[in-house]
Amino acid sequence: MAADGPEPAETALTVEERGLRAELGEIIDKQMGELRRDFHHESEDAKSADRRVRAIVLRLTQIERERIELNVARGL
């Protein structure tokens, strides 16, 4: 039964990771578009986007750690 445990967790992590990476790509594309249009300002939208990017990167780091822990548990 221990061999069956990590698989659903790994799948859930993969799904979450894909969603976060897609969201991150959308935020970056939007910011790059604003830079190309010479959009200079420090609006709340830009600050909010920066905070969201940091949160996504933090969660992606946590996902990687969880994935490592799953691999270690699978190896035991």
Side-chain angles (χ1 to χ4, degrees):
M1 188 170 252
D4 294 337
E7 294 305 322
E10 181 73 28
T11 301
L13 288 175
T14 300
V15 168
E16 183 181 5
E17 180 182 17
R18 285 182 185 155
L20 289 170
R21 287 186 184 280
E23 183 181 354
L24 183 60
E26 290 170 7
I27 292 170
I28 291 171
D29 288 346
K30 181 180 176 187
Q31 287 181 329
M32 293 304 290
E34 290 174 353
L35 287 173
R36 279 191 286 274
R37 290 191 307 271
D38 200 31
F39 197 68
H40 296 291
H41 75 290
E42 281 295 317
S43 72
E44 270 311 302
D45 288 340
K47 291 176 185 175
S48 177
D50 286 342
R51 284 191 297 270
R52 184 61 188 146
V53 166
R54 288 183 186 135
I56 290 171
V57 170
L58 178 61
R59 182 59 189 140
L60 288 171
T61 302
Q62 291 169 339
I63 287 172
E64 186 61 28
R65 287 182 186 146
E66 290 175 28
R67 198 171 266 131
I68 290 168
E69 289 174 3
L70 288 172
N71 286 334
V72 169
R74 200 174 309 159
L76 293 179

